[in-house]
Amino acid sequence: MIVFGIIVGVIILWLILTFNSLISLRNMVKNAFAQIDVQLKRRHDLIPNLVNAVKGAMKFEQETLQKIMEARAKAINAFQAGNIKEGFANENILTQALGRLFALREAYPELKSNQQVSQLMEELTTTENKISFARQFYNDITTKYNTKIQLFPNNLIASMLGFKEFDLFELPKESPEKEAPKVDLSLQS
Amino acid sequence: MILLVFILFFAFIGFGFDYFYLQNLTSPSYIEIKKPFIPYGTIIALIIAALLTINAFINGINMIVEATGARTPNETNLKEIQLLNVVGEMSLAAGIPMPKVYIVPDRDLNAFATGFSPQKAYVFVTEGLLNELNREELQAVVAHEISHIRFYDIRLMTLIVTLMNTIAMISDFIARSSRRTSYSSSRSRKSSGGEAILFFIWVILLILSPIVSRILAMAISRQREYLADAGAAELTRNPKALISALEKIRQAVSPTRSMKDSVAYLCITDPRGSYIEEKTGFWAELFATHPPMEKRILALKLMAYEKAN
Protein backbone atom coordinates (compact mmCIF):
# COMPACT_ATOMS: atom_id res chain seq x y z
CA MET A 1 0.00 0.00 0.00
CA ILE A 2 2.79 2.41 0.94
CA VAL A 3 4.77 1.40 -2.14
CA PHE A 4 1.73 2.02 -4.29
CA GLY A 5 1.27 5.43 -2.72
CA ILE A 6 4.88 6.38 -3.36
CA ILE A 7 4.62 5.33 -7.01
CA VAL A 8 1.46 7.39 -7.52
CA GLY A 9 3.09 10.34 -5.79
CA VAL A 10 6.16 10.17 -8.01
CA ILE A 11 4.00 9.96 -11.13
CA ILE A 12 1.94 12.99 -10.07
CA LEU A 13 5.09 14.95 -9.30
CA TRP A 14 6.56 14.04 -12.68
CA LEU A 15 3.31 15.10 -14.40
CA ILE A 16 3.35 18.50 -12.72
CA LEU A 17 7.03 19.15 -13.47
CA THR A 18 6.75 18.06 -17.10
CA PHE A 19 3.58 20.04 -17.67
CA ASN A 20 5.07 23.21 -16.20
CA SER A 21 8.31 22.99 -18.11
CA LEU A 22 6.41 22.35 -21.36
CA ILE A 23 4.19 25.35 -20.73
CA SER A 24 7.11 27.70 -20.12
CA LEU A 25 8.94 26.37 -23.16
CA ARG A 26 5.83 26.80 -25.31
CA ASN A 27 5.45 30.39 -24.13
CA MET A 28 9.05 31.03 -25.10
CA VAL A 29 8.32 29.66 -28.58
CA LYS A 30 5.28 31.91 -28.89
CA ASN A 31 7.24 34.91 -27.68
CA ALA A 32 10.03 34.15 -30.17
CA PHE A 33 7.46 34.06 -32.94
CA ALA A 34 6.00 37.37 -31.79
CA GLN A 35 9.48 38.89 -31.97
CA ILE A 36 9.75 37.91 -35.64
CA ASP A 37 6.39 39.52 -36.23
CA VAL A 38 7.49 42.77 -34.59
CA GLN A 39 10.54 42.97 -36.83
CA LEU A 40 8.57 42.20 -39.99
CA LYS A 41 6.17 45.05 -39.20
CA ARG A 42 9.12 47.35 -38.63
CA ARG A 43 10.49 46.36 -42.02
CA HIS A 44 7.16 47.10 -43.71
CA ASP A 45 7.15 50.55 -42.14
CA LEU A 46 10.71 51.36 -43.15
CA ILE A 47 10.59 50.27 -46.78
CA PRO A 48 8.43 53.11 -48.22
CA ASN A 49 10.68 55.73 -46.59
CA LEU A 50 13.81 54.16 -47.98
CA VAL A 51 12.38 53.68 -51.45
CA ASN A 52 11.32 57.33 -51.55
CA ALA A 53 14.74 58.47 -50.38
CA VAL A 54 16.70 56.54 -52.98
CA LYS A 55 14.22 56.74 -55.87
CA GLY A 56 15.72 59.88 -57.31
CA ALA A 57 19.32 58.73 -57.26
CA MET A 58 18.72 55.15 -58.32
CA LYS A 59 17.09 55.89 -61.63
CA PHE A 60 18.38 52.76 -63.21
CA GLU A 61 17.08 50.41 -60.53
CA GLN A 62 13.38 51.14 -60.83
CA GLU A 63 12.73 47.47 -61.45
CA THR A 64 14.33 46.42 -58.15
CA LEU A 65 12.47 49.12 -56.25
CA GLN A 66 9.22 48.08 -57.94
CA LYS A 67 9.80 44.47 -56.91
CA ILE A 68 10.42 45.48 -53.31
CA MET A 69 7.20 47.49 -53.11
CA GLU A 70 5.23 44.68 -54.72
CA ALA A 71 6.56 41.99 -52.41
CA ARG A 72 5.87 44.21 -49.42
CA ALA A 73 2.26 44.80 -50.49
CA LYS A 74 1.71 41.11 -51.18
CA ALA A 75 3.18 40.10 -47.81
CA ILE A 76 1.01 42.59 -45.93
CA ASN A 77 -2.11 41.46 -47.76
CA ALA A 78 -1.38 37.80 -47.20
CA PHE A 79 -0.85 38.31 -43.46
CA GLN A 80 -4.04 40.34 -43.20
CA ALA A 81 -5.96 37.62 -45.00
CA GLY A 82 -4.54 35.16 -42.49
CA ASN A 83 -2.51 33.32 -45.09
CA ILE A 84 0.68 32.84 -43.07
CA LYS A 85 2.44 30.59 -45.54
CA GLU A 86 2.04 32.93 -48.51
CA GLY A 87 3.00 35.86 -46.31
CA PHE A 88 6.31 34.30 -45.35
CA ALA A 89 6.98 33.29 -48.95
CA ASN A 90 6.67 36.95 -49.92
CA GLU A 91 8.83 37.99 -46.99
CA ASN A 92 11.54 35.73 -48.37
CA ILE A 93 11.27 37.41 -51.79
CA LEU A 94 11.48 40.74 -49.98
CA THR A 95 14.62 39.67 -48.12
CA GLN A 96 16.34 38.81 -51.38
CA ALA A 97 15.25 41.99 -53.16
CA LEU A 98 16.49 44.10 -50.25
CA GLY A 99 19.82 42.27 -50.26
CA ARG A 100 20.12 43.25 -53.90
CA LEU A 101 19.37 46.86 -53.06
CA PHE A 102 22.07 46.88 -50.37
CA ALA A 103 24.61 45.54 -52.84
CA LEU A 104 23.60 48.06 -55.52
CA ARG A 105 23.99 50.93 -53.10
CA GLU A 106 27.78 50.62 -53.32
CA ALA A 107 27.57 51.86 -56.90
CA TYR A 108 26.00 55.18 -55.89
CA PRO A 109 28.48 57.38 -54.04
CA GLU A 110 25.95 60.16 -53.62
CA LEU A 111 23.79 57.71 -51.64
CA LYS A 112 26.70 56.59 -49.51
CA SER A 113 27.45 60.13 -48.44
CA ASN A 114 23.81 61.01 -47.81
CA GLN A 115 23.23 61.12 -44.04
CA GLN A 116 19.51 60.43 -44.19
CA VAL A 117 19.90 57.49 -46.56
CA SER A 118 22.74 56.10 -44.41
CA GLN A 119 20.52 56.18 -41.34
CA LEU A 120 17.63 54.54 -43.14
CA MET A 121 19.97 51.91 -44.53
CA GLU A 122 21.36 51.20 -41.05
CA GLU A 123 17.81 50.92 -39.69
CA LEU A 124 16.86 48.51 -42.43
CA THR A 125 20.11 46.53 -42.03
CA THR A 126 19.48 46.02 -38.34
CA THR A 127 15.86 45.10 -39.02
CA GLU A 128 16.98 42.54 -41.59
CA ASN A 129 19.51 41.14 -39.11
CA LYS A 130 16.95 41.10 -36.34
CA ILE A 131 14.53 39.18 -38.55
CA SER A 132 17.14 36.53 -39.23
CA PHE A 133 18.37 36.39 -35.61
CA ALA A 134 14.81 36.21 -34.31
CA ARG A 135 14.19 33.33 -36.71
CA GLN A 136 17.39 31.65 -35.59
CA PHE A 137 16.33 31.89 -31.96
CA TYR A 138 12.81 30.74 -32.83
CA ASN A 139 14.24 27.70 -34.62
CA ASP A 140 16.56 26.90 -31.69
CA ILE A 141 13.88 27.16 -29.04
CA THR A 142 11.27 25.38 -31.17
CA THR A 143 13.66 22.50 -31.83
CA LYS A 144 14.18 22.22 -28.09
CA TYR A 145 10.43 22.22 -27.50
CA ASN A 146 9.71 19.73 -30.29
CA THR A 147 12.42 17.39 -29.06
CA LYS A 148 11.08 17.56 -25.55
CA ILE A 149 7.56 16.52 -26.50
CA GLN A 150 8.85 13.76 -28.77
CA LEU A 151 11.09 12.14 -26.17
CA PHE A 152 9.93 9.19 -24.11
CA PRO A 153 8.12 9.29 -21.69
CA ASN A 154 6.97 12.86 -22.37
CA ASN A 155 5.45 11.77 -25.69
CA LEU A 156 2.89 9.68 -23.79
CA ILE A 157 1.28 12.72 -22.22
CA ALA A 158 2.21 15.61 -24.54
CA SER A 159 -0.53 15.07 -27.09
CA MET A 160 -3.07 14.29 -24.38
CA LEU A 161 -2.35 17.63 -22.73
CA GLY A 162 -2.61 19.43 -26.05
CA PHE A 163 1.06 20.11 -26.84
CA LYS A 164 1.63 20.12 -30.57
CA GLU A 165 4.81 20.50 -32.54
CA PHE A 166 5.61 23.82 -34.20
CA ASP A 167 7.05 24.24 -37.68
CA LEU A 168 10.56 25.53 -38.20
CA PHE A 169 11.47 28.30 -40.62
CA GLU A 170 13.16 27.16 -43.76
CA LEU A 171 14.66 29.48 -46.28
CA PRO A 172 14.29 28.57 -49.96
CA LYS A 173 17.48 26.94 -51.12
CA GLU A 174 17.38 27.62 -54.85
CA SER A 175 16.32 30.98 -56.06
CA PRO A 176 17.31 33.08 -59.06
CA GLU A 177 17.40 36.17 -56.86
CA LYS A 178 20.26 34.78 -54.83
CA GLU A 179 22.80 35.34 -57.58
CA ALA A 180 25.16 38.19 -56.92
CA PRO A 181 23.85 41.27 -58.69
CA LYS A 182 25.93 42.59 -61.56
CA VAL A 183 26.80 46.20 -60.98
CA ASP A 184 27.86 48.45 -63.79
CA LEU A 185 30.57 50.58 -62.27
CA SER A 186 30.69 52.93 -65.24
CA LEU A 187 27.57 54.62 -63.82
CA GLN A 188 29.74 56.27 -61.25
CA SER A 189 31.39 58.74 -63.59
CA MET B 1 35.46 20.83 -12.39
CA ILE B 2 37.89 23.57 -11.37
CA LEU B 3 35.03 25.21 -9.52
CA LEU B 4 34.71 22.05 -7.45
CA VAL B 5 38.42 22.12 -6.61
CA PHE B 6 38.02 25.76 -5.67
CA ILE B 7 35.12 25.06 -3.32
CA LEU B 8 36.97 22.11 -1.74
CA PHE B 9 40.02 24.29 -1.26
CA PHE B 10 37.86 26.95 0.30
CA ALA B 11 36.18 24.44 2.61
CA PHE B 12 39.51 23.05 3.74
CA ILE B 13 40.90 26.47 4.59
CA GLY B 14 37.66 27.46 6.32
CA PHE B 15 37.22 24.31 8.40
CA GLY B 16 40.86 24.31 9.30
CA PHE B 17 40.48 27.87 10.48
CA ASP B 18 37.65 26.89 12.78
CA TYR B 19 39.02 23.57 13.88
CA PHE B 20 42.65 24.38 14.54
CA TYR B 21 42.50 28.03 15.28
CA LEU B 22 39.24 29.30 16.72
CA GLN B 23 38.62 26.24 18.84
CA ASN B 24 41.98 26.69 20.47
CA LEU B 25 41.37 30.35 21.06
CA THR B 26 38.00 29.89 22.72
CA SER B 27 38.86 26.83 24.77
CA PRO B 28 42.50 26.77 25.60
CA SER B 29 41.94 24.06 28.16
CA TYR B 30 42.86 20.44 27.60
CA ILE B 31 39.26 19.32 27.63
CA GLU B 32 38.28 17.67 24.36
CA ILE B 33 35.16 19.33 22.95
CA LYS B 34 32.49 16.81 22.21
CA LYS B 35 29.64 18.96 20.93
CA PRO B 36 28.85 18.85 17.19
CA PHE B 37 31.37 20.76 15.21
CA ILE B 38 29.95 23.88 13.51
CA PRO B 39 32.34 26.13 11.58
CA TYR B 40 31.06 29.43 12.95
CA GLY B 41 34.12 31.38 11.90
CA THR B 42 33.90 30.34 8.29
CA ILE B 43 30.19 31.02 8.11
CA ILE B 44 30.59 34.49 9.56
CA ALA B 45 33.48 35.29 7.22
CA LEU B 46 31.47 34.00 4.26
CA ILE B 47 28.45 36.12 5.19
CA ILE B 48 30.54 39.27 5.55
CA ALA B 49 32.30 38.64 2.23
CA ALA B 50 28.99 37.91 0.49
CA LEU B 51 27.44 41.12 1.80
CA LEU B 52 30.46 43.11 0.66
CA THR B 53 30.39 41.56 -2.80
CA ILE B 54 26.64 41.93 -3.24
CA ASN B 55 26.87 45.52 -2.13
CA ALA B 56 29.66 46.06 -4.66
CA PHE B 57 27.39 44.67 -7.34
CA ILE B 58 24.31 46.69 -6.44
CA ASN B 59 26.17 49.97 -6.13
CA GLY B 60 28.86 48.77 -8.49
CA ILE B 61 27.15 49.93 -11.65
CA ASN B 62 27.15 53.55 -10.58
CA MET B 63 30.70 53.19 -9.39
CA ILE B 64 31.84 51.69 -12.69
CA VAL B 65 30.00 54.36 -14.66
CA GLU B 66 31.64 57.06 -12.59
CA ALA B 67 35.11 55.54 -12.57
CA THR B 68 35.15 54.94 -16.33
CA GLY B 69 33.38 58.18 -17.19
CA ALA B 70 30.97 56.13 -19.32
CA ARG B 71 28.06 57.79 -21.09
CA THR B 72 24.94 56.56 -22.84
CA PRO B 73 25.06 56.39 -26.64
CA ASN B 74 24.22 59.46 -28.66
CA GLU B 75 21.21 58.78 -30.88
CA THR B 76 22.33 61.09 -33.64
CA ASN B 77 25.73 59.52 -34.22
CA LEU B 78 25.46 56.80 -36.87
CA LYS B 79 28.18 54.63 -35.34
CA GLU B 80 26.55 54.72 -31.93
CA ILE B 81 23.12 53.97 -33.37
CA GLN B 82 24.80 51.01 -35.00
CA LEU B 83 26.11 49.85 -31.62
CA LEU B 84 22.61 50.03 -30.12
CA ASN B 85 21.23 48.12 -33.10
CA VAL B 86 23.90 45.45 -32.86
CA VAL B 87 23.23 44.93 -29.15
CA GLY B 88 19.53 44.65 -29.98
CA GLU B 89 20.26 42.05 -32.64
CA MET B 90 22.43 39.93 -30.36
CA SER B 91 20.00 39.98 -27.46
CA LEU B 92 17.28 38.82 -29.87
CA ALA B 93 19.56 36.02 -31.04
CA ALA B 94 20.24 35.01 -27.44
CA GLY B 95 16.61 35.42 -26.40
CA ILE B 96 17.36 37.79 -23.52
CA PRO B 97 16.09 41.33 -22.89
CA MET B 98 18.26 44.07 -24.30
CA PRO B 99 20.98 45.12 -21.84
CA LYS B 100 21.74 48.76 -21.11
CA VAL B 101 24.55 50.11 -23.27
CA TYR B 102 27.33 52.47 -22.17
CA ILE B 103 30.20 53.98 -24.11
CA VAL B 104 33.54 54.47 -22.37
CA PRO B 105 35.56 57.41 -23.71
CA ASP B 106 38.83 55.54 -24.11
CA ARG B 107 40.86 55.09 -27.25
CA ASP B 108 41.86 51.56 -26.38
CA LEU B 109 39.89 48.66 -27.84
CA ASN B 110 37.92 46.87 -25.16
CA ALA B 111 34.43 45.90 -24.00
CA PHE B 112 32.89 44.25 -20.98
CA ALA B 113 29.58 43.17 -19.52
CA THR B 114 28.27 43.22 -15.96
CA GLY B 115 25.04 42.91 -13.98
CA PHE B 116 23.51 40.28 -11.78
CA SER B 117 21.05 38.62 -14.16
CA PRO B 118 20.24 38.62 -17.89
CA GLN B 119 17.18 40.72 -17.02
CA LYS B 120 19.35 43.48 -15.63
CA ALA B 121 22.65 43.53 -17.45
CA TYR B 122 25.00 46.16 -18.83
CA VAL B 123 27.35 46.23 -21.80
CA PHE B 124 30.25 48.68 -21.92
CA VAL B 125 32.16 49.44 -25.12
CA THR B 126 35.10 51.80 -25.59
CA GLU B 127 35.12 54.53 -28.22
CA GLY B 128 38.27 53.04 -29.71
CA LEU B 129 36.44 49.80 -30.36
CA LEU B 130 33.56 51.65 -32.04
CA ASN B 131 35.93 53.51 -34.33
CA GLU B 132 38.19 50.62 -35.31
CA LEU B 133 35.79 47.75 -35.89
CA ASN B 134 33.34 47.35 -38.74
CA ARG B 135 29.73 46.33 -38.20
CA GLU B 136 30.32 42.58 -38.32
CA GLU B 137 33.28 42.70 -35.96
CA LEU B 138 31.39 44.89 -33.53
CA GLN B 139 28.57 42.38 -33.66
CA ALA B 140 31.00 39.56 -32.82
CA VAL B 141 32.44 41.42 -29.81
CA VAL B 142 28.95 42.27 -28.54
CA ALA B 143 27.99 38.61 -29.02
CA HIS B 144 30.93 37.61 -26.80
CA GLU B 145 29.70 39.96 -24.06
CA ILE B 146 26.08 38.81 -24.46
CA SER B 147 27.34 35.25 -24.08
CA HIS B 148 28.94 36.14 -20.75
CA ILE B 149 25.52 37.43 -19.73
CA ARG B 150 23.45 34.49 -20.97
CA PHE B 151 25.82 31.86 -19.52
CA TYR B 152 25.49 33.54 -16.08
CA ASP B 153 29.26 34.11 -16.02
CA ILE B 154 28.61 37.35 -14.19
CA ARG B 155 27.04 35.50 -11.31
CA LEU B 156 29.72 32.81 -11.34
CA MET B 157 32.50 35.36 -11.13
CA THR B 158 30.64 37.09 -8.27
CA LEU B 159 30.64 33.82 -6.37
CA ILE B 160 34.33 33.31 -7.02
CA VAL B 161 35.24 36.83 -5.97
CA THR B 162 33.25 36.23 -2.77
CA LEU B 163 35.17 33.04 -2.02
CA MET B 164 38.46 34.75 -2.78
CA ASN B 165 37.62 37.61 -0.46
CA THR B 166 36.64 35.21 2.32
CA ILE B 167 39.92 33.36 2.08
CA ALA B 168 41.77 36.65 2.09
CA MET B 169 39.82 37.73 5.16
CA ILE B 170 40.57 34.53 7.07
CA SER B 171 44.28 34.58 6.32
CA ASP B 172 44.40 38.28 7.10
CA PHE B 173 42.68 37.71 10.44
CA ILE B 174 45.07 34.96 11.40
CA ALA B 175 48.11 36.93 10.33
CA ARG B 176 47.02 39.88 12.43
CA SER B 177 45.96 38.02 15.57
CA SER B 178 48.85 35.58 15.62
CA ARG B 179 51.20 38.51 15.98
CA ARG B 180 49.64 39.19 19.36
CA THR B 181 49.20 35.68 20.67
CA SER B 182 52.02 33.33 20.11
CA TYR B 183 50.77 30.68 17.76
CA SER B 184 52.57 27.70 19.16
CA SER B 185 51.41 28.29 22.72
CA SER B 186 47.76 28.06 21.76
CA ARG B 187 48.49 24.77 20.09
CA SER B 188 49.34 23.01 23.29
CA ARG B 189 46.52 20.50 22.97
CA LYS B 190 47.58 16.94 22.61
CA SER B 191 46.91 15.82 19.10
CA SER B 192 47.15 12.57 17.26
CA GLY B 193 49.66 12.11 14.48
CA GLY B 194 47.07 12.33 11.71
CA GLU B 195 45.78 15.58 13.05
CA ALA B 196 49.27 17.04 13.20
CA ILE B 197 49.89 16.21 9.55
CA LEU B 198 46.55 17.75 8.62
CA PHE B 199 47.45 20.83 10.61
CA PHE B 200 50.78 21.07 8.85
CA ILE B 201 49.15 20.86 5.40
CA TRP B 202 46.61 23.44 6.45
CA VAL B 203 49.28 25.95 7.55
CA ILE B 204 51.14 25.55 4.27
CA LEU B 205 47.95 25.97 2.25
CA LEU B 206 47.04 28.98 4.34
CA ILE B 207 50.33 30.66 3.55
CA LEU B 208 49.87 29.89 -0.12
CA SER B 209 46.13 30.61 -0.12
CA PRO B 210 46.17 34.05 -1.79
CA ILE B 211 48.22 32.61 -4.65
CA VAL B 212 46.31 29.34 -4.91
CA SER B 213 42.89 30.99 -4.89
CA ARG B 214 44.06 33.40 -7.57
CA ILE B 215 45.37 30.60 -9.77
CA LEU B 216 42.11 28.69 -9.43
CA ALA B 217 39.99 31.77 -10.13
CA MET B 218 42.05 32.59 -13.22
CA ALA B 219 41.65 29.05 -14.50
CA ILE B 220 37.87 29.37 -14.25
CA SER B 221 37.99 32.78 -15.91
CA ARG B 222 39.98 31.47 -18.87
CA GLN B 223 37.58 28.60 -19.33
CA ARG B 224 34.64 31.01 -19.44
CA GLU B 225 36.43 33.11 -22.07
CA TYR B 226 36.70 30.17 -24.43
CA LEU B 227 33.06 29.42 -23.75
CA ALA B 228 32.00 33.00 -24.46
CA ASP B 229 34.00 32.97 -27.72
CA ALA B 230 32.22 29.80 -28.76
CA GLY B 231 28.90 31.32 -27.66
CA ALA B 232 29.58 34.37 -29.80
CA ALA B 233 30.23 32.19 -32.82
CA GLU B 234 27.02 30.31 -32.10
CA LEU B 235 24.96 33.51 -31.96
CA THR B 236 26.40 35.21 -35.04
CA ARG B 237 27.07 32.00 -36.99
CA ASN B 238 30.14 33.92 -38.08
CA PRO B 239 33.38 32.97 -36.27
CA LYS B 240 35.44 34.81 -38.89
CA ALA B 241 34.17 38.20 -37.73
CA LEU B 242 35.29 37.48 -34.16
CA ILE B 243 38.68 36.32 -35.42
CA SER B 244 39.28 39.58 -37.26
CA ALA B 245 37.97 41.57 -34.29
CA LEU B 246 40.38 39.77 -31.95
CA GLU B 247 43.25 40.38 -34.37
CA LYS B 248 42.51 44.10 -34.32
CA ILE B 249 42.17 44.20 -30.53
CA ARG B 250 45.43 42.31 -30.18
CA GLN B 251 47.30 44.81 -32.32
CA ALA B 252 46.14 47.62 -30.08
CA VAL B 253 47.29 45.86 -26.94
CA SER B 254 47.82 48.67 -24.48
CA PRO B 255 46.28 49.10 -21.05
CA THR B 256 42.70 50.28 -20.88
CA ARG B 257 43.32 52.69 -18.05
CA SER B 258 39.69 53.44 -17.38
CA MET B 259 38.91 49.83 -16.50
CA LYS B 260 39.83 48.40 -13.16
CA ASP B 261 41.06 44.94 -12.31
CA SER B 262 37.74 44.05 -10.75
CA VAL B 263 36.00 43.87 -14.10
CA ALA B 264 38.94 42.22 -15.89
CA TYR B 265 37.18 38.85 -15.91
CA LEU B 266 34.37 40.17 -18.04
CA CYS B 267 36.31 42.15 -20.62
CA ILE B 268 36.88 40.92 -24.13
CA THR B 269 40.62 41.15 -23.44
CA ASP B 270 42.62 41.81 -20.30
CA PRO B 271 42.40 45.58 -19.66
CA ARG B 272 45.81 45.58 -18.04
CA GLY B 273 47.19 44.93 -21.48
CA SER B 274 49.80 42.76 -19.87
CA TYR B 275 52.42 40.94 -21.82
CA ILE B 276 51.42 37.79 -19.99
CA GLU B 277 48.49 37.71 -22.35
CA GLU B 278 50.74 37.18 -25.33
CA LYS B 279 52.87 34.42 -23.89
CA THR B 280 51.81 30.85 -24.17
CA GLY B 281 53.04 28.14 -21.90
CA PHE B 282 52.05 26.82 -18.52
CA TRP B 283 53.62 29.39 -16.20
CA ALA B 284 52.67 32.43 -18.21
CA GLU B 285 49.05 31.35 -18.43
CA LEU B 286 48.72 30.50 -14.76
CA PHE B 287 47.98 34.08 -13.68
CA ALA B 288 46.20 35.41 -16.77
CA THR B 289 42.48 36.23 -16.77
CA HIS B 290 42.25 35.49 -20.48
CA PRO B 291 43.77 32.74 -22.60
CA PRO B 292 46.43 33.95 -25.06
CA MET B 293 44.90 35.53 -28.16
CA GLU B 294 46.71 33.02 -30.33
CA LYS B 295 44.92 30.12 -28.68
CA ARG B 296 41.53 31.84 -28.80
CA ILE B 297 41.93 32.62 -32.48
CA LEU B 298 43.06 29.08 -33.17
CA ALA B 299 39.97 27.68 -31.43
CA LEU B 300 37.75 29.97 -33.49
CA LYS B 301 39.50 29.05 -36.72
CA LEU B 302 38.80 25.44 -35.92
CA MET B 303 35.13 26.33 -35.56
CA ALA B 304 35.12 28.18 -38.87
CA TYR B 305 36.81 25.22 -40.51
CA GLU B 306 34.28 22.77 -39.12
CA LYS B 307 31.46 25.00 -40.29
CA ALA B 308 32.85 25.16 -43.82
CA ASN B 309 32.95 21.39 -44.08
Side-chain angles (χ1 to χ4, degrees):
Chain A
M1 193 58 211
I2 295 168
V3 174
F4 183 74
I6 289 172
I7 290 172
V8 169
V10 166
I11 288 176
I12 287 173
L13 199 69
W14 169 71
L15 265 176
I16 292 170
L17 289 177
T18 313
F19 182 78
N20 285 353
S21 74
L22 282 177
I23 286 281
S24 62
L25 210 52
R26 189 169 69 184
N27 284 342
M28 280 171 89
V29 169
K30 283 180 178 167
N31 181 43
F33 191 81
Q35 291 295 335
I36 301 174
D37 222 34
V38 169
Q39 299 306 328
L40 288 177
K41 292 227 166 65
R42 176 104 184 101
R43 158 149 102 173
H44 296 153
D45 293 344
L46 282 170
I47 285 173
N49 292 339
L50 183 74
V51 168
N52 279 333
V54 301
K55 205 158 56 184
M58 288 179 136
K59 289 186 197 81
F60 304 97
E61 315 298 342
Q62 296 303 332
E63 197 194 333
T64 307
L65 296 180
Q66 188 82 28
K67 208 174 259 172
I68 289 173
M69 290 305 284
E70 258 172 37
R72 172 185 173 269
K74 272 188 194 164
I76 292 176
N77 284 338
F79 279 124
Q80 268 171 358
N83 195 341
I84 306 285
K85 206 155 197 170
E86 201 194 317
F88 278 116
N90 279 303
E91 292 293 351
N92 283 340
I93 294 172
L94 197 51
T95 304
Q96 286 153 4
L98 283 171
R100 201 180 145 82
L101 184 70
F102 284 132
L104 284 169
R105 179 190 170 220
E106 300 296 313
Y108 294 88
E110 70 262 43
L111 284 187
K112 280 185 90 172
S113 59
N114 184 322
Q115 177 77 13
Q116 191 212 351
V117 173
S118 293
Q119 277 191 13
L120 277 170
M121 280 285 189
E122 168 57 32
E123 276 311 303
L124 204 56
T125 305
T126 188
T127 310
E128 290 298 299
N129 286 349
K130 279 175 183 164
I131 290 169
S132 81
F133 284 125
R135 282 183 177 176
Q136 181 181 306
F137 181 67
Y138 171 85
N139 277 356
D140 288 351
I141 197 84
T142 306
T143 306
K144 210 169 151 190
Y145 167 80
N146 285 349
T147 309
K148 190 152 189 173
I149 61 176
Q150 284 164 3
L151 283 177
F152 181 81
N154 297 356
N155 59 353
L156 300 179
I157 56 158
S159 59
M160 260 194 297
L161 295 173
F163 290 101
K164 283 190 216 104
E165 283 173 42
F166 283 95
D167 289 333
L168 299 179
F169 273 105
E170 275 171 54
L171 291 175
K173 278 204 173 126
E174 289 297 327
S175 148
E177 296 281 346
K178 262 197 171 166
E179 284 171 37
K182 285 188 191 112
V183 179
D184 190 357
L185 291 171
S186 61
L187 278 175
Q188 280 189 18
S189 54
Chain B
M1 190 42 216
I2 305 169
L3 186 65
L4 197 74
V5 175
F6 196 101
I7 289 171
L8 283 179
F9 173 72
F10 170 77
F12 188 66
I13 291 283
F15 288 139
F17 170 60
D18 281 291
Y19 191 72
F20 295 120
Y21 195 74
L22 280 190
Q23 217 169 49
N24 285 330
L25 273 187
T26 50
S27 58
S29 61
Y30 294 93
I31 309 154
E32 198 64 44
I33 299 162
K34 283 285 194 293
K35 62 181 176 189
F37 175 67
I38 301 167
Y40 290 110
T42 312
I43 291 169
I44 290 167
L46 194 61
I47 288 170
I48 294 172
L51 285 178
L52 284 177
T53 320
I54 287 169
N55 176 52
F57 254 86
I58 290 168
N59 301 319
I61 267 303
N62 299 328
M63 272 154 58
I64 290 171
V65 169
E66 256 173 49
T68 56
R71 58 182 173 80
T72 47
N74 179 352
E75 305 234 354
T76 54
N77 181 328
L78 192 62
K79 203 73 198 175
E80 296 182 9
I81 294 172
Q82 206 172 62
L83 172 67
L84 282 174
N85 287 342
V86 164
V87 175
E89 287 164 24
M90 285 303 100
S91 42
L92 257 183
I96 60 168
M98 182 161 162
K100 219 166 165 356
V101 182
Y102 282 99
I103 294 175
V104 180
D106 192 311
R107 274 164 55 211
D108 192 46
L109 276 62
N110 218 328
F112 71 95
T114 185
F116 207 63
S117 71
Q119 277 67 40
K120 209 169 160 39
Y122 306 83
V123 171
F124 289 72
V125 171
T126 62
E127 270 174 6
L129 197 81
L130 270 187
N131 294 333
E132 295 298 319
L133 301 191
N134 66 28
R135 200 177 197 284
E136 279 193 348
E137 291 160 351
L138 187 64
Q139 193 184 48
V141 171
V142 168
H144 174 102
E145 298 308 329
I146 295 270
S147 294
H148 274 313
I149 296 172
R150 75 185 166 119
F151 295 149
Y152 289 91
D153 285 359
I154 300 166
R155 220 176 271 188
L156 178 74
M157 290 326 282
T158 314
L159 173 75
I160 285 166
V161 170
T162 308
L163 292 185
M164 266 174 84
N165 286 346
T166 314
I167 290 177
M169 237 155 63
I170 290 175
S171 64
D172 199 46
F173 179 80
I174 290 174
R176 233 181 274 170
S177 57
S178 59
R179 237 173 274 149
R180 274 182 274 119
T181 57
S182 170
Y183 204 24
S184 52
S185 71
S186 70
R187 265 222 52 84
S188 49
R189 192 160 53 117
K190 270 180 266 169
S191 54
S192 61
E195 204 177 316
I197 291 168
L198 216 59
F199 175 73
F200 187 66
I201 295 171
W202 177 71
V203 169
I204 296 207
L205 275 182
L206 186 73
I207 294 163
L208 294 176
S209 68
I211 301 168
V212 173
S213 64
R214 192 169 164 79
I215 288 174
L216 289 173
M218 294 301 107
I220 294 169
S221 171
R222 286 195 302 276
Q223 216 177 30
R224 306 309 289 189
E225 289 303 323
Y226 280 126
L227 206 62
D229 280 350
E234 186 202 345
L235 286 185
T236 59
R237 307 281 203 263
N238 186 3
K240 279 181 190 152
L242 188 56
I243 293 173
S244 66
L246 288 181
E247 296 274 12
K248 279 188 187 174
I249 292 169
R250 177 194 199 176
Q251 252 137 54
V253 67
S254 67
T256 312
R257 273 183 207 88
S258 50
M259 289 180 189
K260 288 180 298 177
D261 279 7
S262 51
V263 290
Y265 311 109
L266 301 166
C267 288
I268 183 104
T269 183
D270 194 329
R272 287 167 296 182
S274 52
Y275 300 104
I276 296 174
E277 222 43 23
E278 287 311 305
K279 284 183 208 144
T280 49
F282 180 74
W283 290 108
E285 279 178 51
L286 211 52
F287 290 102
T289 54
H290 290 61
M293 276 292 185
E294 237 167 89
K295 280 195 172 179
R296 289 172 70 183
I297 290 170
L298 195 71
L300 282 167
K301 276 187 177 155
L302 217 64
M303 267 179 244
Y305 178 77
E306 273 165 11
K307 194 178 160 237
N309 283 275

